[in-house]
Amino acid sequence: MSEDLSGKVALVTGAAAGIGRATAIAFGRAGARVVVGDLSAAGEETARAIREGGGEALFVETDVSRSGAVTELIRRTLSAFGRLDCAHNNAGVEGPRADLTEVTEEDFDRTLAVNLKGVWLCMRAEIPAMLSTGGGCIVNTASVYGLVAARKVSTYVASKHALVGLTRSAALEWGRRGIRVNAVCPGLIDTEMIDRAVLGEAPSELGRRLDPRRRIARALLRARQPSGRMGTPEEVAAAVLWLCSPASSYVNGHALVLDGGMVVR
């Protein structure tokens, strides 16, 4: 069932690619006016795609790890559209792939600055804006690694476990004021982040199709999944929109797993 979010204003961070881009476009198709936030100027391409589809969208270049940048993001959202109803705090980084003792302090700080502090800064700015119009819905992108652990990604795992806790605490604090706060916990999703994880880089579009290393690595990853495949950004986007819709009105403080059975394996 497609969600109808006509008249709503939605904000998506990390919306230049992957899950964030898919969610921003889905919000636009559902009738919401969309603010696209991303550190990369490629976020403008997402906003353009929404406009070309008949929607309204604004791109704001944003570093979610900086308080001033987040304040400006919300200011421009309210200036352009007058309200904020839905927020998908999706911006994140995968962090270093290394044993805990090999992770540098700089890498640790950067990972938590984006994955945890960035979401905290966004919620801190989004909640007052939502309260001014009677409430809203916030969805944070966590991960299955916010629920379980794995070797050589301790920093990422720590950031996502903390984010699930932050989400649940915020849900308790603001539920009676009309704001629901939930998280999505994706498993293996077909995005550039996977390419960086398995290849150490995100290849060009041509490279995505032709690189034999990528094909082999992805085949191995798919074979390990109970569903036999990776998820798609659009599948995560559909869950985010549901969590922002009246259909999920009694869902609050929940970490929704989207992993094809990975965690229960």
Side-chain angles (χ1 to χ4, degrees):
M1 181 179 65
S2 61
E3 309 298 344
D4 182 2
L5 297 174
S6 300
K8 302 294 186 181
V9 175
L11 165 66
V12 184
T13 66
I19 292 170
R21 175 180 170 85
T23 303
I25 290 172
F27 270 126
R29 289 175 178 163
R33 292 171 288 174
V34 185
V35 178
V36 174
D38 202 285
L39 185 59
S40 168
E44 177 56 41
E45 296 177 12
T46 301
R48 185 181 304 114
I50 294 169
R51 292 192 291 267
E52 289 175 351
E56 294 183 62
L58 168 70
F59 169 59
V60 181
E61 189 171 331
T62 306
D63 179 352
V64 298
S65 69
R66 294 177 52 243
S67 177
V70 172
T71 298
E72 178 65 8
L73 174 64
I74 302 304
R75 187 196 70 78
R76 291 190 59 184
T77 298
L78 298 179
S79 177
F81 299 127
R83 60 187 295 132
L84 177 62
D85 301 286
C86 310
H88 181 201
N89 298 317
N90 172 74
V93 295
E94 58 266 40
R97 186 171 183 81
D99 289 336
L100 184 149
T101 55
E102 296 174 354
V103 175
T104 67
E105 186 174 355
E106 181 181 10
D107 283 340
F108 182 90
D109 288 346
R110 174 60 179 165
T111 304
L112 268 70
V114 177
N115 292 359
L116 181 60
K117 178 185 173 184
V119 176
W120 172 72
L121 287 172
C122 286
M123 288 201 295
R124 191 178 68 165
E126 292 157 357
I127 288 169
M130 291 178 175
L131 288 174
S132 70
T133 53
C137 301
I138 296 173
V139 181
N140 299 323
T141 297
S143 168
V144 291
Y145 287 144
L147 305 172
V148 297
R151 294 185 296 271
K152 294 188 178 296
V153 286
S154 59
T155 303
Y156 182 79
V157 168
S159 71
K160 294 302 185 177
H161 269 74
L163 178 53
V164 170
L166 179 66
T167 298
R168 289 170 172 164
S169 289
L172 292 175
E173 288 181 10
W174 300 102
R176 294 195 178 199
R177 301 285 299 277
I179 296 176
R180 293 188 295 112
V181 187
N182 293 287
V184 287
C185 296
L188 195 66
I189 307 298
D190 191 358
T191 65
E192 290 184 358
M193 185 177 285
I194 293 297
D195 287 321
R196 289 193 297 268
V198 299
L199 299 177
E201 60 183 354
S204 65
E205 184 57 36
L206 180 62
R208 284 174 65 87
R209 297 196 300 269
L210 300 181
D211 190 333
R213 297 175 304 155
R214 178 178 182 272
R215 293 200 303 271
I216 293 169
R218 282 169 167 262
L220 291 172
L221 287 173
R222 288 193 298 271
R224 294 173 185 166
Q225 305 310 305
S227 59
R229 68 176 181 89
M230 297 186 194
T232 69
E234 289 73 21
E235 288 173 309
V236 182
V240 173
L241 263 65
W242 179 73
L243 288 169
C244 289
S245 77
S248 64
S249 60
Y250 202 53
V251 180
N252 191 30
H254 184 57
L256 179 60
V257 178
L258 300 151
D259 69 345
M262 176 181 170
V263 167
V264 298
R265 179 179 53 195

